[in-house]
Amino acid sequence: YTLLPRKRGAMRVKRARKVRKYLRFYRTCHGFRAPYKVLCDGNFLHAVASMKLGEAGDVLAKYLGSSSKLFTTRCVQHELKHMSAEFKQASLAARRLDCVLGGPDPPAKAFDSILAAVDKNNSERFLVCTQDEKLRRLLAKNSPFVPVIFCHTSGLQMEPPADAAGSGVASQLEKMASMPQNERDVLGQEETARDVQHVKTNVRYAKPKARGPNPLASKPKTVKEPRAGAVTPAPGEKKKRKRRGGAGGE
């Protein structure tokens, strides 16, 4: 058997389409805007360094298709500083990032500091980059307003939005947002997307009015009078039919 080369170009295009779709959803339904604010933990910075992907900022900018501002927490910096020499490059990368204000003070867990930064429905609109599977599952379950990015062997990937459910509402709302105001007023299609499952509209449809019976259907039946010279068959006797043409005719 001949081993065919993997279509890496097609896979990259597919991943790029996915992330554009997810980001369009977050922009439309949750108010995210470029340049994006990205919150990185120590595991993600270590994965980028060990996989030799380059600078985290450049990798994320290429993946997101837009410039981004990288942040971390003081607890993440403290945690990386006291780890083994294997995490030295990740620790240096974390020191170059801006720290999120507030949150728990070191030596609190970095896990808790990330959760505190995206608390209150992620009011700062952070994209969280982490390799911690427990943190990813927790954010997907309890924080639908938080996009999650992680490193894979094929490159960066984003978790699908938890509340999108493949409904296509984001593309519909974005299309309506591009419509002129006068057209939306005429059509009466001003949409409010609090979340994808409960999209409200002010469109009102007229209820069908009850109508009377069809006058043709209620018309009384008329009995036809027999023609002159016609033979009326007796009750129970079948009416004879005249045959037209035929080989046996006289």
Side-chain angles (χ1 to χ4, degrees):
Y1 296 97
T2 304
L3 296 177
L4 298 176
R6 295 177 64 186
K7 297 181 180 180
R8 295 186 178 181
M11 293 176 65
R12 282 197 297 267
V13 171
K14 188 176 180 180
R15 286 198 304 270
R17 287 177 180 171
K18 277 188 176 181
V19 71
R20 284 199 301 267
K21 177 182 176 181
Y22 298 159
L23 288 174
R24 184 170 67 248
F25 170 80
Y26 284 114
R27 285 196 307 268
T28 306
C29 297
H30 298 308
F32 283 76
R33 293 290 180 270
Y36 300 105
K37 292 189 287 186
V38 183
L39 183 60
C40 304
D41 72 348
N43 293 326
F44 178 81
L45 295 174
H46 175 65
V48 171
S50 60
M51 294 173 65
K52 297 180 180 180
L53 299 178
E55 292 290 333
D58 298 336
V59 176
L60 284 165
K62 184 178 179 180
Y63 179 69
L64 298 174
S66 173
S67 58
S68 55
K69 180 70 174 176
L70 272 60
F71 295 85
T72 190
T73 64
R74 291 173 297 159
C75 296
V76 170
Q77 292 178 340
H78 182 269
E79 188 179 78
L80 289 172
K81 184 178 179 180
H82 293 82
M83 296 184 78
S84 61
E86 182 183 356
F87 292 84
K88 182 178 180 180
Q89 194 170 353
S91 178
L92 293 174
R95 290 183 201 174
R96 293 194 292 267
L97 305 183
D98 294 333
C99 287
V100 178
L101 300 177
D105 297 325
K109 292 183 179 180
F111 183 95
D112 297 332
S113 67
I114 297 292
L115 289 178
V118 297
D119 197 12
K120 298 179 181 178
N121 293 335
N122 194 13
S123 58
E124 293 294 332
R125 299 296 184 266
F126 281 122
L127 285 77
V128 174
C129 295
T130 179
Q131 298 297 107
D132 192 334
E133 291 187 6
K134 182 181 177 182
L135 179 58
R136 283 162 48 188
R137 288 196 301 268
L138 189 62
L139 290 174
K141 182 179 179 181
N142 301 328
S143 303
F145 306 100
V146 183
V148 178
I149 300 173
F150 60 95
C151 277
H152 192 261
T153 53
S154 58
L156 299 186
Q157 290 193 13
M158 181 182 289
E159 295 280 4
D163 54 355
S167 61
V169 172
S171 59
Q172 296 174 14
L173 294 180
E174 196 169 64
K175 186 186 294 183
M176 290 184 57
S178 62
M179 293 174 60
Q181 184 64 36
N182 58 346
E183 291 186 15
R184 280 187 287 172
D185 293 340
V186 171
L187 295 176
Q189 293 179 344
E190 296 176 357
E191 299 284 348
T192 303
R194 294 182 184 176
D195 64 65
V196 176
Q197 304 299 336
H198 302 88
V199 177
K200 296 187 176 181
T201 177
N202 65 350
V203 178
R204 297 292 181 267
Y205 298 97
K207 295 182 179 179
K209 297 180 180 179
R211 297 179 179 179
N214 188 350
L216 297 178
S218 60
K219 187 177 180 181
K221 294 183 179 180
T222 57
V223 180
K224 292 183 180 180
E225 297 181 359
R227 292 180 296 175
V231 179
T232 305
E237 185 181 352
K238 291 185 178 180
K239 183 180 179 180
K240 294 182 180 181
R241 296 181 181 178
K242 284 186 178 182
R243 293 186 179 182
R244 296 180 180 179
E250 293 181 358

